[in-house]
């Protein structure tokens, strides 16, 4: 079957600390920049009014709002709460067991039960912001991407990354190991 979708295919580095989106055309590869920003800190703050703050502002305000600012979410992707225990002391937010003992983030909710959110949902918010930036930079819709993942990611972590992209309305054409991406960037 031939794909007639003319939308561009972007490359996304969904990072633990920072993320970015790139594109390659006849003029060569480039990191997409919006308002002089190319790197998106992989941080999301859940505000009391239900809105979210994504990126540099969330990262910068994390010390003041540690229990509602999610960073390093990639460390929890596709992992059980038991598997994630070694990482939990380094996270400022609460991590609880979800369905099938999967790691979930518990965001305090003033006057109510905490909001339980999956790492895939948090990652989808980051991916959604990268998609938005790509659409602005390219002045057209973006629906497809190649996404880098750590080489050590197991099948559950890879599937969690695909699920996050799906939630952000991005079709993952391929998951590419980060060392492979580096080799391709600097290869002959």
């Amino acid at each position: 079957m031939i794909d007639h979708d003319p939308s561009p295919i972007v490359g996304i580095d969904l990072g633990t600390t920072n993320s970015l989106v790139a594109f390659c055309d006849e003029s060569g590869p480039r990191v997409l920049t919006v308002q002089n920003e190319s790197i998106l800190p992989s941080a999301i703050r859940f505000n009391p009014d239900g809105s979210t703050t994504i990126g540099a502002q969330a990262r910068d305000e994390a010390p003041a709002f540690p229990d509602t600012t999610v960073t390093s979410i990639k460390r929890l992707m596709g992992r059980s709460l038991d598997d994630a225990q070694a990482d939990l002391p380094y996270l400022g937010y609460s991590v609880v067991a979800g369905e099938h003992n999967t790691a979930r983030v518990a965001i305090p909710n003033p006057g109510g039960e905490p909001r339980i959110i999956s790492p895939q949902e948090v990652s989808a918010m980051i991916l959604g912001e990268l998609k938005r930036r790509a659409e602005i930079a390219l002045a057209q819709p973006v629906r497809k991407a190649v996404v880098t993942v750590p080489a050590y990611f197991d099948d559950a972590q890879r599937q969690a990354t695909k699920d996050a992209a799906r939630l952000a309305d991005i079709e993952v054409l391929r998951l590419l190991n980060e060392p492979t991406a580096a080799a391709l960037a600097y290869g002959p």
Side-chain angles (χ1 to χ4, degrees), residues 66-111:
D67 58 339
T68 58
T69 303
V70 179
T71 60
S72 301
I73 195 65
K74 191 167 152 181
R75 297 183 189 283
L76 302 178
M77 294 282 286
R79 297 177 72 194
S80 72
L81 184 59
D82 295 336
D83 289 344
Q85 285 300 313
D87 291 316
L88 300 186
Y90 305 103
L91 304 176
Y93 49 90
S94 178
V95 179
V96 298
E99 186 178 346
H100 305 293
N101 197 39
T102 54
R104 296 284 195 263
V105 176
I107 303 297
N109 180 12

Side-chain angles (χ1 to χ4, degrees), residues 152-172:
Y152 63 80
F153 261 24
D154 63 20
D155 288 342
Q157 292 168 304
R158 290 171 188 274
Q159 186 58 53
T161 304
K162 288 180 183 179
D163 292 343
R166 182 183 43 78
L167 290 171
D169 198 27
I170 299 170
E171 178 186 351
V172 175

Side-chain angles (χ1 to χ4, degrees), residues 23 44 130 154:
F23 180 69
I44 297 182
L130 292 170
D154 63 20

Side-chain angles (χ1 to χ4, degrees), residues 104-129:
R104 296 284 195 263
V105 176
I107 303 297
N109 180 12
E113 292 291 316
R115 177 179 177 190
I116 307 300
I117 188 166
S118 72
Q120 293 88 323
E121 291 171 293
V122 175
S123 293
M125 293 174 191
I126 296 166
L127 289 166
E129 175 61 18

